[in-house]
Amino acid sequence: MKSYLRISAILACFGPKCPERRIGEVLEEAAIPVSTGYKIIGDMISEGLLRRTERGYIALGSSAERLFYTPLRGDMPLRAGIGLTGARTPGMPRMAQLETDVLKMIATDRYRSAPPFVIGFANASDAHPWRQALERSLLHAAQAQSEIVARVIVRNAENDPDLQSAQLREMWQEGADICIISAASERHPGLEATIADLAGRGLPMVGVDRFCGDGETLVSLVTASDVTVGRISALWLAERLGGQGRVALLSGLESASPSKLRLEAALQTFSRFPGIELAAVDYTDWLADRGYAAIRGHLARGWMPDGVWCDSGLQGIGAINAFLDAGFQRGEIPPHTGGELNLMYKMAVQERIPLCGLDYPAAMGAASVQVALNVLFGRSVPRIVEADLQVVVTRGHETPSVRADIQAEKKVDWSSPDSHVHAAGRLRRRKASILRRSNKDAAVRSPVSVTRPGYSESVRRLVDIVTLVATEPISTAYQISQLLRLPKSSAYQTIDDLEFLSWLTRDVEGNLLIGSVPQSISLAARGFEFAGHLLPVLVRYLRDQTGETAFAASLGSELQIGIHLGGYNLNSERFKPFESVRVEADSPTPLDGSQLLRCAGARHEGRTKTRFMMLPLVQSSPGFAAAQLVLGFCWSGASTDEAPLREHLREVRKHLMADAAMVLA
């Protein structure tokens, strides 16, 4: 860890306003002894992270610039792999609007303390597989940081807000440095008062999955868009039914915020289809037996649903079993919604049930640990951390407005148990004795002996690993150890260290991705004064609004692709690793400054039909190569409606200009 901390500290000394620094000043600012510092800097120069500019001066190097290339998803979407063709349609935007809270950062200096830390986790319940997966994700993330996490205190409130209030106070008395809470109820005066009281006493609180009250007493909230889950699933079902038919509504827990938000969004969407007849809402507490009872009740009364809307597959599997027990044959069960659970996908594929699922990511547990540790180290954290959502649809059942990221036949894991929860990250299987937990006892990881590499090896590993993660879909340290020929124990420890330092992160399926630190370093290396944490949020929003591939890039003599996310429209464009594209104007520049460009030059023969639309954000600072940081879309082949693309770019720029401080690094 120490090697990577010092490498990170040295790189953090540079920025657009200070592109060149004296070596002595850098070492003093990074608090590194001179004898050690000169050795590290020499190694960093050899690997291209730094470069010499004149005697005694250094600057960020070419390897630091290359960190700009950052895919936001680690796996290749299915539709790109099988070459689907057909008309391009705009579909329905996945996100209703840009939530500006995801752009806000919260200063946490007042919570800074020294490790080892004690983390409290107040789980709403562990009554079903998803909540158990959330807890496992959180505990594994804490296990990976055992050098700085001394204990994890876990409590299960059994959906009782009064019990959860008492458990929070117990954790405070037991010395918790921070609490992660998944609230047992959205609105409960006693629980709200307890959270506010403990926060007022200096105990930082991080929400995960659910919140209580207005959430203002939380430092940060790790969540996913429940509105998107409700809206997209309802739209798919309504379109699948052709706007006509009876729909049974199986919601989750009435007092939980995710259930409320999903149901409200679904009802609003269904209201656009007058031919849809809705049954009264059945609250299932996300339990399979209650989903089963709800459908059996409808069938017993002679009310045959043409479709079943479930806000989760947890109750969806019960609904499907109710149809099977009622004698429905393969191919006869009406369309369903609901994801997450492996059994839900298995049953949909085996019984030929049209299905649309959005996996609500249990990997939020791991993300909440990283946020909690950042708070305790005094690092600024986002007000809202929003996890990505994948749309999963059975083969041949996409609708005009709802396109799949991946088909259910590809998503289902036939080798995993029925209770396997998707989007829970990739949990490493280690000896059970390493991590122990109960509702009353702390979880503790035993120390593991690992040989630490020297500085030269650390710099080399850092560059090699980050380059590999940017280039290939990588999900395990074992893959890295094999591809880079590293000892397994060292590979596991290195990945743990780099994840903690935000050099690496993971998507909800467990794939390794480039983290926020390399993104910020690469912006500084190119002379862009812009807050790096904003770009992934903006790129994902633009992709979700349009279905087109969205990206941030450096536009100078060539277009160099940076942070990007592949679209879900048919034949969406993809980028090769570290690709730079020679472009030329395709039409006059509009008054809003947006540009429409096309590939130019013989070496882009395969991209002759590729178009780029982009809007500049900032210019590079003096002393750097002249370039613009741009945000945009690209598409290939069939024409697309350019007007909404420009409108979304203008919308994003308007949000940024409303608070100019947000763009500063």
Side-chain angles (χ1 to χ4, degrees):
M1 177 78 78
K2 188 175 183 180
S3 300
Y4 301 115
L5 274 170
R6 287 181 165 177
I7 293 169
S8 299
I10 290 172
L11 294 172
C13 293
F14 299 89
K17 294 181 180 178
C18 48
E20 298 181 7
R21 303 288 302 273
R22 282 185 177 274
I23 295 177
E25 292 176 352
V26 169
L27 295 180
E28 182 178 358
E29 185 175 323
I32 299 174
V34 173
S35 58
T36 302
Y38 273 90
K39 169 60 176 168
I40 301 174
I41 287 175
D43 294 332
M44 294 173 71
I45 291 173
S46 298
E47 293 297 328
L49 288 174
L50 298 173
R51 59 184 174 87
R52 299 186 189 276
T53 55
E54 56 181 291
R55 187 175 180 83
Y57 283 81
I58 53 176
L60 295 174
S62 58
S63 293
E65 291 184 11
R66 279 166 60 87
L67 299 174
F68 189 53
Y69 179 82
T70 308
L72 292 184
R73 182 167 286 170
D75 56 335
M76 179 62 71
L78 179 64
R79 70 177 57 254
I82 62 178
L84 293 174
T85 59
R88 299 175 65 82
T89 59
M92 169 62 69
R94 293 189 177 177
M95 302 177 81
Q97 61 186 13
L98 178 60
E99 296 287 349
T100 54
D101 272 355
V102 301
L103 303 178
K104 295 179 180 178
M105 298 294 286
I106 304 298
T108 63
D109 304 73
R110 63 189 182 280
Y111 299 122
R112 183 182 288 116
S113 57
F117 304 121
V118 176
I119 297 176
F121 175 45
N123 198 352
S125 78
D126 60 0
H128 51 69
W130 191 90
R131 302 217 62 82
Q132 296 162 14
L134 175 73
E135 185 176 308
R136 288 197 303 272
S137 173
L138 185 147
L139 289 172
H140 276 264
Q143 173 192 13
Q145 303 299 334
S146 62
E147 293 182 348
I148 55 177
V149 178
R151 292 193 299 150
V152 179
I153 307 169
V154 180
R155 295 290 188 272
N156 162 30
E158 300 175 355
N159 288 321
D160 182 344
D162 291 318
L163 176 58
Q164 190 167 62
S165 294
Q167 291 172 342
L168 287 171
R169 295 191 183 278
E170 287 175 9
M171 288 188 278
W172 164 254
Q173 294 166 359
E174 291 181 32
D177 296 294
I178 193 168
C179 277
I180 300 171
I181 176 172
S182 182
S185 177
E186 179 190 5
R187 291 288 177 184
H188 186 272
L191 181 57
E192 291 181 54
T194 297
I195 294 173
D197 177 53
L198 293 177
R201 297 190 189 191
L203 178 66
M205 311 279 278
V206 172
V208 61
D209 166 44
R210 306 178 184 178
F211 59 88
C212 184
D214 57 14
E216 289 301 314
T217 50
L218 302 175
V219 179
S220 181
L221 174 65
V222 181
T223 185
S225 177
D226 293 293
V227 172
T228 299
V229 172
R231 190 167 61 93
I232 296 300
S233 59
L235 179 64
W236 174 86
L237 185 55
E239 290 188 340
R240 178 69 193 165
L241 297 178
Q244 301 286 331
R246 298 173 170 180
V247 172
L249 298 171
L250 306 188
S251 190
L253 181 66
E254 188 172 8
S255 62
S257 57
S259 180
K260 178 182 178 182
L261 293 170
R262 295 174 197 178
L263 181 60
E264 287 178 348
L267 292 176
Q268 185 177 19
T269 302
F270 282 129
S271 69
R272 295 166 41 197
F273 298 87
I276 295 292
E277 177 188 341
L278 300 178
V281 179
D282 287 295
Y283 289 98
T284 65
D285 295 356
W286 290 302
L287 297 174
D289 58 349
R290 297 195 181 182
Y292 181 93
I295 294 301
R296 289 291 296 208
H298 286 308
L299 296 178
R301 290 189 295 272
W303 194 85
M304 172 61 195
D306 300 297
V308 180
W309 179 85
C310 304
D311 69 355
S312 169
L314 294 164
Q315 70 266 30
I317 58 175
I320 292 175
N321 277 323
F323 283 106
L324 292 173
D325 287 352
F328 284 72
Q329 300 300 307
R330 189 181 188 195
E332 296 179 349
I333 297 175
H336 277 61
T337 67
E340 292 109 8
L341 212 61
N342 201 34
L343 180 57
M344 187 68 173
Y345 293 125
K346 285 183 178 181
M347 296 175 78
V349 173
Q350 290 171 332
E351 302 299 332
R352 295 181 182 173
I353 305 167
L355 174 73
C356 175
L358 284 84
D359 286 340
Y360 198 63
M364 291 186 289
S368 68
V369 171
Q370 187 61 61
V371 171
L373 294 176
N374 286 338
V375 170
L376 294 175
F377 278 105
R379 304 167 184 159
S380 294
V381 298
R383 178 72 184 88
I384 301 290
V385 178
E386 194 164 271
D388 192 19
L389 290 170
Q390 275 194 334
V391 177
V392 185
V393 180
T394 45
R395 183 180 292 118
H397 296 141
E398 289 180 314
T399 67
S401 299
V402 180
R403 301 296 183 84
D405 288 309
I406 188 171
Q407 293 172 346
E409 289 79 0
K410 177 82 171 179
K411 181 76 169 181
V412 65
D413 188 346
W414 298 105
S415 62
S416 291
D418 294 344
S419 59
H420 170 68
V421 175
H422 290 274
R426 187 175 293 272
L427 305 180
R428 293 175 307 189
R429 285 152 174 85
R430 294 189 174 181
K431 293 180 179 179
S433 60
I434 292 177
L435 187 60
R436 301 184 300 274
R437 65 150 300 279
S438 71
N439 281 349
K440 296 184 178 180
D441 297 323
V444 184
R445 179 185 170 187
S446 304
V448 178
S449 177
V450 176
T451 302
R452 301 289 183 177
Y455 287 111
S456 298
E457 183 64 22
S458 294
V459 175
R460 189 178 306 113
R461 283 185 186 179
L462 178 63
V463 174
D464 288 347
I465 289 173
V466 172
T467 301
L468 179 62
V469 167
T471 307
E472 301 286 344
I474 299 293
S475 57
T476 67
Y478 176 78
Q479 290 173 283
I480 288 177
S481 71
Q482 294 297 298
L483 292 170
L484 298 181
R485 298 183 179 180
L486 299 176
K488 293 178 186 178
S489 59
S490 297
Y492 276 100
Q493 187 61 54
T494 299
I495 297 305
D496 285 348
D497 292 347
L498 295 182
E499 284 190 70
F500 170 69
L501 295 173
S502 295
W503 275 87
L504 298 176
T505 187
R506 290 185 185 270
D507 66 15
V508 296
E509 294 295 339
N511 296 299
L512 284 165
L513 301 175
I514 305 301
S516 59
V517 165
Q519 294 167 14
S520 297
I521 291 170
S522 67
L523 289 171
R526 294 172 180 271
F528 296 129
E529 191 171 3
F530 194 90
H533 71 274
L534 298 178
L535 289 178
V537 175
L538 298 176
V539 167
R540 180 167 284 115
Y541 172 71
L542 291 174
R543 193 289 303 262
D544 284 352
Q545 285 295 105
T546 64
E548 303 291 358
T549 296
F551 64 87
S554 175
L555 179 59
S557 58
E558 293 189 324
L559 182 71
Q560 295 182 311
I561 303 301
I563 294 170
H564 61 278
L565 186 59
Y568 51 80
N569 282 342
L570 297 175
N571 294 324
S572 294
E573 191 61 276
R574 293 296 184 271
F575 299 117
K576 297 177 182 177
F578 308 105
E579 182 175 9
S580 61
V581 182
R582 196 165 188 175
V583 292
E584 61 185 14
D586 194 48
S587 64
T589 301
L591 294 178
D592 64 3
S594 63
Q595 305 173 58
L596 185 63
L597 308 175
R598 61 182 176 87
C599 287
R603 68 186 174 95
H604 299 303
E605 182 177 352
R607 285 195 181 275
T608 55
K609 296 183 178 180
T610 301
R611 296 293 184 270
F612 299 87
M613 178 182 288
M614 59 196 74
L615 195 64
L617 298 178
V618 295
Q619 297 279 345
S620 58
S621 300
F624 292 86
Q628 295 176 323
L629 177 64
V630 298
L631 198 64
F633 304 100
C634 77
W635 64 92
S636 179
S639 62
T640 189
D641 187 356
E642 299 171 13
L645 302 185
R646 281 198 173 91
E647 182 58 37
H648 289 308
L649 291 174
R650 287 194 292 265
E651 176 197 5
V652 166
R653 185 170 65 178
K654 179 181 178 181
H655 281 297
L656 294 175
M657 292 176 64
D659 187 353
M662 287 198 301
V663 305
L664 299 179

